[in-house]
C-alpha cells in the first residue's frame, strides 16, 4: 500500500490546476485572452485574475496571513464582477505575475499551518464564517479546476487548441478529418435522440388525450 501525505496530494492537484489554467494563455493575442466568449463575459485572462484573487483570499486573509497585494477589484465600491476580467490597463504580464505571487503566498500558508487550523472567511456571514485549512484548500482546488475547464472550452473555440497540459493532451488520437467525422456522428446521434423523444412524447400525448370526436358527449 502506498503511503500518502495529505498536503502533498492537495498541493499536487492545486498546482496541476494552476498550470493548466496559465497554459491556456500561451500563444494567444491580447484580444483573444480578454475576449468574452459567453453572455456573462467569460474570458481566459479574467479567469486567471479571479484565480489569483481566490488564492490570496482563501489561503491568505482567511488565516490571518494577508499578502499585502493591492486588489482594487474586490474593495468596497468596486464594479460587480471586476475580478473576472482585465481592463485594458491591466497587462497580461501583471496578472500572470500576480498569480505566481499568489501561488507562493498560498503555498507558504499550506506549509506553515496544520490542515485542521481554523480560519475565518471575511466575506462569509458571521454565523458560518469558520473554515479549516483543509476545507479551504479543497475549495480552491475545486474552483481552479472548474475555471481551467472553462479555459479549455474557450481556447478550443479560439484556435482549436486542446489538451490537459503540455505533457498530456488527454485526447483520443485522430487527425482533423477524424475529429470532423466524430463531431458529425455526435450531431447525428443528438438529432436522432431528439426525434425519438418527440415521437415518444406524441405517442404519450395521444394515449392521454384521445380524439374528442371519438368520445361520447358527457352533457345531458
Amino acid at each position: 500500500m502506498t503511503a500518502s501525505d495529505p498536503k502533498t496530494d492537495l498541493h499536487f492537484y492545486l498546482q496541476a490546476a494552476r498550470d493548466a489554467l496559465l497554459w491556456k494563455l500561451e500563444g494567444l493575442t491580447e484580444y483573444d485572452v480578454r475576449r468574452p466568449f459567453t453572455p456573462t463575459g467569460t474570458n481566459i485572462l479574467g479567469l486567471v485574475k479571479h484565480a489569483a484573487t481566490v488564492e490570496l483570499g482563501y489561503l491568505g486573509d482567511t488565516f490571518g496571513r494577508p499578502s499585502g497585494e493591492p486588489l482594487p477589484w474586490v474593495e468596497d465600491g468596486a464594479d460587480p464582477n471586476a475580478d473576472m476580467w482585465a481592463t485594458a490597463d491591466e497587462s497580461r504580464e501583471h496578472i500572470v505575475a500576480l498569480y505566481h505571487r499568489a501561488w507562493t503566498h498560498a503555498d507558504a500558508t499550506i506549509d506553515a499551518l496544520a490542515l485542521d487550523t481554523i480560519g475565518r472567511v471575511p466575506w462569509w456571514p458571521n454565523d458560518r464564517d469558520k473554515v479549516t485549512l483543509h476545507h479551504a484548500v479543497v475549495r480552491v482546488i475545486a474552483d481552479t479546476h472548474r475555471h481551467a475547464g472553462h479555459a479549455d472550452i474557450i481556447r478550443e473555440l479560439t484556435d482549436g487548441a486542446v489538451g490537459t497540459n503540455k505533457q498530456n493532451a488527454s485526447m483520443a488520437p485522430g487527425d482533423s478529418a477524424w475529429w470532423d467525422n466524430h463531431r458529425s456522428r455526435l450531431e447525428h446521434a443528438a438529432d436522432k435522440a431528439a426525434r425519438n423523444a418527440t415521437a415518444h412524447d406524441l405517442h404519450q400525448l395521444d394515449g392521454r388525450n384521445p380524439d374528442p370526436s371519438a368520445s361520447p358527449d358527457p352533457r345531458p
Side-chain angles (χ1 to χ4, degrees):
M1 184 174 180
T2 303
S4 176
D5 173 64
K7 283 191 177 182
T8 299
D9 293 340
L10 292 168
H11 186 265
F12 174 84
Y13 285 101
L14 177 55
Q15 192 59 49
R18 293 163 168 170
D19 291 339
L21 182 54
L22 272 193
W23 181 47
K24 296 302 175 179
L25 290 174
E26 292 187 12
L28 293 182
T29 66
E30 284 299 321
Y31 173 73
D32 283 336
V33 298
R34 301 161 187 272
R35 178 183 175 191
F37 267 84
T38 69
T40 55
T42 306
N43 63 96
I44 301 179
L45 192 58
L47 294 173
V48 174
K49 182 180 178 181
H50 171 75
T53 307
V54 166
E55 292 214 22
L56 292 171
Y58 280 107
L59 300 179
D61 297 334
T62 293
F63 294 92
R65 298 170 60 88
S67 66
E69 294 282 353
L71 304 176
W73 49 86
V74 295
E75 294 177 357
D76 291 341
D79 288 341
N81 220 39
D83 66 318
M84 296 295 293
W85 64 283
T87 69
D89 296 328
E90 292 171 341
S91 71
R92 180 195 325 216
E93 292 76 18
H94 168 73
I95 290 174
V96 169
L98 174 66
Y99 195 23
H100 280 296
R101 294 194 299 274
W103 297 2
T104 299
H105 192 75
D107 289 347
T109 296
I110 296 170
D111 291 341
L113 304 178
L115 289 176
D116 60 359
T117 300
I118 302 295
R120 175 184 171 275
V121 184
W123 53 92
W124 285 8
N126 290 333
D127 60 338
R128 48 190 177 91
D129 58 355
K130 302 299 189 294
V131 66
T132 65
L133 177 61
H134 193 167
H135 179 104
V137 176
V138 171
R139 188 181 188 91
V140 172
I141 291 171
D143 188 72
T144 309
H145 273 285
R146 175 174 181 260
H147 293 311
H150 292 154
D152 280 339
I153 301 300
I154 293 174
R155 184 61 190 259
E156 184 174 358
L157 291 172
T158 302
D159 64 359
V162 297
T164 303
N165 55 55
K166 292 180 181 179
Q167 292 74 38
N168 178 19
S170 192
M171 300 290 292
D175 58 16
S176 59
W178 187 91
W179 283 108
D180 285 345
N181 181 64
H182 176 68
R183 189 181 186 285
S184 294
R185 290 173 61 203
L186 269 59
E187 182 66 36
H188 175 74
D191 180 68
K192 183 177 180 180
R195 286 186 279 109
N196 288 346
T198 299
H200 175 75
D201 290 344
L202 289 174
H203 177 74
Q204 293 291 98
L205 185 63
D206 287 344
R208 292 195 304 269
N209 299 287
D211 183 353
S213 64
S215 300
D217 191 338
R219 294 172 297 178

